[in-house]
Every structure is written in C-alpha cells, then in structure tokens.
Amino acid sequence: MSTVILGSRGQLGSELAQLLPEANALSRQELDITSPEMISAVLDPLKPTCVINCTAYNQVDLAEKEPEAAWQSNALGPRNLAQYCANHKSRLIHISTDFVYGIKRKPARPLAEQDLPDPRSVYGVSKLAGEYFVQTECSQSLIIRTCGLYGRGGNGNFVKTMLRLAREGKPIRVVDDQFCAPTSVKDLASAVLKLQTIHATGLFHFVNRGQVSWYEFTKMIFALTELDVEITPISSAEYGAIAKRPQYSVLDCSKYCEETNSRIRTIKDALKEYLRSEMV
C-alpha cells in the first residue's frame, strides 16, 4: 500500500511521518491542495492507495478576517482531494475539528458523531463544509474529528505556550467556561493508523478521555511540571477572542473504541507523558 501524508511539517503530519517512514510525506509547499492541477501533478507519479490529509487553515481568529483563505484550504481543498481520490480509487483520511460544534450550554453527555453540528466561526463553518465535501465526493473516505492538539512537531501548541509564559514570568489568564478534551498528537496518530488498518470509513471522533476547561487544563500542566505559577480564570467574554469558540465540545469516542477494540488514555496520562518528553 502506498500512503501519502499531507501537511508533513505540522504536529500530526510530522508524527505520522515518523510512524510511517515508508510513506511519502509532503509539506504544503510541495503540494497545495487548493490547486487541482498540482494535486494531479504531484500524486499521479506516487499512485497513492491512501491519502492522509493533515493540512488546514487553523488560524481561528484570523479566519474571521480572511474567510476566503479559510474556505479555500478547509473546504475546497478537501473537495479537490476527495475528487482525486474518488477518480483514482484511493482512500482519503481527513482530519477535522470539534469547532464544527458551537454549543453554549453543557449537555448531559459528550457529543457523538450523530449530534448535529452548529459551528459559530468561519473556521468551524469552513471545516464542516470540508467534511461534507469529503463525504459526498469520496465513498472511501474517513473523517476524524479531534480537539486541542499538542505534540513535539509543528510550530507550537497550547501546552508549549503556557510553559513559555511561565518561564517569562508573564501573567497567565485562561478561560474557565470552555470545556473540551485536549488531545495528544501521539495518541491521535496511533488512532489514525488503527482506523486505517481496519479500513474504517465514515465519521469518527477521537480525543483523550475526560473533559476539562482550558483553565483546569492549564492548572494540570503546572501541577505536573511542579511549577508555582499564578493563573487567573476569566470568562470567554473577558478574553475577547475575535472568533466564537464552542463552550462545550467534548467528543464521545465510543464508536472508535468499539470499532478498534481500544481504550483511550486520559487527558492527564497523555499530558504527563508529553511533558516528560518535553523536559528531556
């Protein structure tokens, strides 16, 4: 089987490239999915049987000012890939986000794949449109929604940002009214490969087990690193982000666990291992 990984310089793409050294791992500069012509020119010689799309326009606030750029990368780009994969009988694995939800009130249970999405930001809308295009255009597609990724690759993540602010002695103010399940890239990459192995198709959720507010997650980071840092909890309104965030986007991963016969690590256990690797 010939696998192509797109977005090889990002957190997930670089992790998958390490797990699949035989795969062709391509950066956005090497393959821009917004160009159908470039997709054909690059992928035709590689003859992939599976394409894993880890690319995205993920500047959530900037997307409110640049909706066309977000739409091109998150909606039309995946459509181009899906059409190519359908025409060449290739599988397409596409990574999506919890931002397709915009729930304001905490529901009785985590959100399952069948729960209706209701995005409240340009980023969320563009990612949901990408999901619909992939599902419509490519029958052999797999979409995985996830949340709050952190890993050793890429340009940065929430955990690294908090540790940097602590080292710099900067005041740390974190929202305490947005609940989700921040997820280790290492665990997500493993989940992608498990789903690929069983030839899963359709929509799956994958996040680390549990739920926290971003404030609670930040306290967990500093407790595990034994850093004495003062953190101030604030509301989303006080933080004043340009794009609206879902106040509750904890994802139910029961379908993944049942299909793969797996148990997902807790948020704390995954974070603990990541922090150990960061401190080495």
Side-chain angles (χ1 to χ4, degrees), residues 120-131:
R120 305 298 172 90
S121 64
V122 170
Y123 169 70
V125 170
S126 66
K127 289 294 289 183
L128 182 61
E131 288 187 11

Side-chain angles (χ1 to χ4, degrees), residues 4-7 31-36 38-40 43 48 51-55 73 75-88 90-95 133-134 137-138 141:
V4 170
I5 300 166
L6 304 180
L31 199 165
D32 181 354
I33 66 172
T34 66
S35 168
M38 191 174 187
I39 290 174
S40 295
L43 293 186
V51 177
I52 306 176
N53 180 34
C54 304
T55 66
S73 294
L76 299 183
R79 183 188 66 175
N80 296 336
L81 274 179
Q83 290 174 340
Y84 178 90
C85 288
N87 291 335
H88 292 78
S90 302
R91 296 190 69 227
L92 174 60
I93 300 176
H94 176 67
I95 308 302
F133 279 134
V134 168
E137 299 287 352
C138 183
S141 63

Side-chain angles (χ1 to χ4, degrees), residues 106 117 264-265:
K106 187 175 179 179
I264 300 172
R265 286 198 297 181

Side-chain angles (χ1 to χ4, degrees), residues 99-115:
F99 272 64
V100 300
Y101 294 108
I103 291 176
K104 291 185 176 181
R105 295 180 182 176
K106 187 175 179 179
R109 56 168 177 76
L111 300 161
E113 290 85 354
Q114 63 268 25
D115 287 313

Side-chain angles (χ1 to χ4, degrees), residues 16-244:
L16 283 167
Q18 290 185 39
L19 294 177
L20 293 173
E22 72 280 7
N24 291 286
L26 305 175
S27 67
R28 179 164 184 166
Q29 289 69 34
E30 293 169 307
L31 199 165
D32 181 354
I33 66 172
T34 66
S35 168
E37 295 77 18
M38 191 174 187
I39 290 174
S40 295
V42 174
L43 293 186
D44 281 354
L46 300 177
K47 294 181 170 54
T49 54
C50 180
V51 177
I52 306 176
N53 180 34
C54 304
T55 66
Y57 181 109
N58 55 17
Q59 300 298 311
V60 177
D61 290 319
L62 191 58
E64 298 295 316
K65 300 177 181 179
E66 298 180 351
E68 184 176 346
W71 187 261
Q72 286 287 336
S73 294
N74 294 341
L76 299 183
R79 183 188 66 175
N80 296 336
L81 274 179
Q83 290 174 340
Y84 178 90
C85 288
N87 291 335
H88 292 78
K89 294 182 172 53
S90 302
R91 296 190 69 227
L92 174 60
I93 300 176
H94 176 67
I95 308 302
S96 192
T97 174
D98 64 316
F99 272 64
V100 300
Y101 294 108
I103 291 176
K104 291 185 176 181
R105 295 180 182 176
K106 187 175 179 179
R109 56 168 177 76
L111 300 161
E113 290 85 354
Q114 63 268 25
D115 287 313
L116 292 177
D118 59 341
R120 305 298 172 90
S121 64
V122 170
Y123 169 70
V125 170
S126 66
K127 289 294 289 183
L128 182 61
E131 288 187 11
Y132 289 157
F133 279 134
V134 168
Q135 288 174 319
T136 301
E137 299 287 352
C138 183
S139 61
Q140 290 300 304
S141 63
L142 166 65
I143 298 166
I144 305 171
R145 289 178 184 153
T146 191
C147 167
L149 296 182
Y150 60 89
R152 302 200 71 176
N155 296 321
N157 58 59
F158 182 85
V159 181
K160 286 182 179 178
T161 298
M162 291 301 104
L163 293 174
R164 176 178 57 78
L165 292 176
R167 287 194 298 269
E168 294 172 355
K170 300 284 181 67
I172 299 179
R173 303 163 71 243
V174 186
V175 295
D176 67 347
D177 58 359
Q178 295 173 20
F179 294 86
C180 60
T183 300
S184 163
V185 162
K186 181 177 180 179
D187 289 5
L188 176 59
S190 176
V192 170
L193 298 187
K194 285 183 180 180
L195 289 169
Q196 181 189 33
T197 299
I198 65 171
H199 304 288
T201 58
L203 177 63
F204 283 79
H205 286 173
F206 184 89
V207 291
N208 281 126
R209 182 159 45 91
Q211 60 182 41
V212 290
S213 70
W214 286 109
Y215 172 68
E216 291 169 337
F217 187 57
T218 305
K219 288 203 302 181
M220 190 183 293
I221 293 168
F222 295 136
L224 290 172
T225 52
E226 299 182 345
L227 293 174
D228 185 14
V229 182
E230 185 176 344
I231 318 163
T232 303
I234 60 172
S235 67
S236 297
E238 288 177 280
Y239 187 73
I242 296 171
K244 291 182 179 179

